[in-house]
Amino acid sequence: DVETSLRWLARDSKNFTNKLGRKICVKLKIMGKDEQFDSTTLKTKLIFVTLNFIYFMITILPTAAIFKYKYCQLSIMLFALLCSVWQGANYYIEVFSERYHDSLERKAKQLEEQYLFIDENLDSLLLKNWSDVQSDLEDTDREDTEDHDYEYDTSDEYTDGYDQSKSEIIEK
């Protein structure tokens, strides 16, 4: 079954066209108060054709004035341009502000998790007995100096040929 505008408008009782059409038809006693549109009946088809014709006439009448008077045309064109700019700007502000807000939320959550991790570790460090740690550090310092004899190679073999004491380049 193909979905036409008639079927959709007749079925959608919340639509403005449906509400307006029913209201006019009830006042003109074409339809009863409890009667609904049915897209298969001839009456509904004629009502919607008539409503479309009225809409066409309302929208076509200003075109003669727009065609004849250039300032009228200019004002309509500017109005259309301003409406499109306004809609576009609202769209971008809405979309990009939502994206920016989401990125800030993610960043805040990431920072919160990071600082919760740091806070948990700081709590354990504050509760630790630091006198035991100090004695452990002294033991490791003594072990490092006793076991290793560090020598540094000061030969010119690993330099780029620059002697800092003479501030000149040594030629080989």
Side-chain angles (χ1 to χ4, degrees):
D1 223 15
V2 177
E3 184 71 22
T4 62
S5 62
L6 173 63
R7 289 181 186 148
W8 183 73
L9 290 171
R11 220 181 9 246
D12 187 13
S13 61
K14 295 179 183 176
N15 189 296
F16 175 74
T17 306
N18 188 307
K19 288 180 182 179
L20 181 66
R22 280 195 72 246
K23 191 180 216 179
I24 292 171
C25 289
V26 168
K27 281 192 177 188
L28 296 174
K29 298 188 190 233
I30 297 171
M31 291 178 70
K33 287 185 180 183
D34 297 329
E35 190 176 357
Q36 296 292 323
F37 288 121
D38 181 14
S39 63
T40 59
T41 64
L42 183 61
K43 181 172 30 175
T44 300
K45 291 177 184 177
L46 289 175
I47 290 169
F48 274 94
V49 166
T50 306
L51 286 174
N52 276 324
F53 181 73
I54 292 169
Y55 175 75
F56 167 75
M57 291 306 292
I58 290 171
T59 57
I60 201 73
L61 288 177
T63 58
I66 293 170
F67 182 75
K68 189 172 184 179
Y69 303 105
K70 66 180 178 181
Y71 292 112
C72 183
Q73 178 186 12
L74 178 65
S75 63
I76 296 293
M77 295 286 279
L78 287 176
F79 179 73
L81 179 67
L82 288 174
C83 285
S84 65
V85 168
W86 181 263
Q87 290 294 330
N90 282 338
Y91 170 78
Y92 281 111
I93 287 173
E94 186 176 317
V95 168
F96 288 125
S97 67
E98 187 69 29
R99 287 182 189 167
Y100 182 67
H101 182 265
D102 290 344
S103 71
L104 288 179
E105 289 288 328
R106 285 192 304 271
K107 186 75 166 178
K109 187 176 181 181
Q110 187 180 35
L111 287 173
E112 182 181 350
E113 290 172 358
Q114 181 182 359
Y115 283 113
L116 282 176
F117 176 74
I118 291 172
D119 286 345
E120 290 170 359
N121 288 335
L122 285 177
D123 289 343
S124 68
L125 289 175
L126 290 174
L127 298 174
K128 193 169 194 161
N129 187 356
W130 286 99
S131 59
D132 295 341
V133 172
Q134 184 63 32
S135 64
D136 291 344
L137 286 174
E138 290 170 359
D139 292 342
T140 57
D141 286 342
R142 262 186 266 118
E143 289 173 5
D144 285 347
T145 56
E146 292 171 2
D147 293 346
H148 302 288
D149 188 23
Y150 293 108
E151 288 186 26
Y152 297 100
D153 186 11
T154 57
S155 69
D156 288 337
E157 183 180 344
Y158 297 108
T159 63
D160 59 356
Y162 181 76
D163 187 1
Q164 291 179 349
S165 64
K166 296 180 185 175
S167 296
E168 62 186 38
I169 297 178
I170 302 171
E171 300 208 14
K172 294 182 180 182

